[in-house]
Amino acid sequence: MKQSIFLLGEQKDMVIKAMNYNRLTLQGMNKKLFDIAFNKLNQNHNAVELDGMEMILVSQSLHKYGKFLSYSKQLKESKEYRIYGDSFEEIRKNFQKLNGPKFKKSKTA
């Protein structure tokens, strides 16, 4: 199951910049899995379909790039990336809540 997310031009640029930064630190299978999500976002469409894991990768990238900007004393930009990372994480949590596995509570004796 995937969630369709519409990204405005500026939002998409932020995500791609953050993912480009994060991509440089990855290798092996992690990079291959990351590239699947990265390639979806690099397409010319503003709407992208992401699963929960791909949303985690986007959120992590936004936070990691925000942290980098903070170290570079670009505090306003850092805050923007972190806030957007938080909002992406909220989208993921809602998606997981709606589409994740459902557990039935069993009655105990």
Side-chain angles (χ1 to χ4, degrees), residues 21 23 30 40-41 43 56 64 69 73 97 103:
Y21 173 78
R23 188 174 182 273
N30 288 337
K40 285 182 183 181
L41 286 154
Q43 294 177 357
I56 289 172
K64 191 172 190 176
L69 291 173
K73 306 293 186 220
K97 192 182 296 183
F103 296 102

Side-chain angles (χ1 to χ4, degrees), residues 26-58:
L26 302 173
Q27 49 188 299
M29 187 54 86
N30 288 337
K31 190 171 190 173
K32 288 181 182 181
L33 292 172
F34 186 88
D35 283 344
I36 293 170
F38 186 65
N39 290 334
K40 285 182 183 181
L41 286 154
N42 262 329
Q43 294 177 357
N44 290 331
H45 311 292
N46 285 350
V48 292
E49 297 223 347
L50 302 173
D51 63 22
M53 185 63 198
E54 292 166 337
M55 286 186 250
I56 289 172
L57 294 173
V58 171

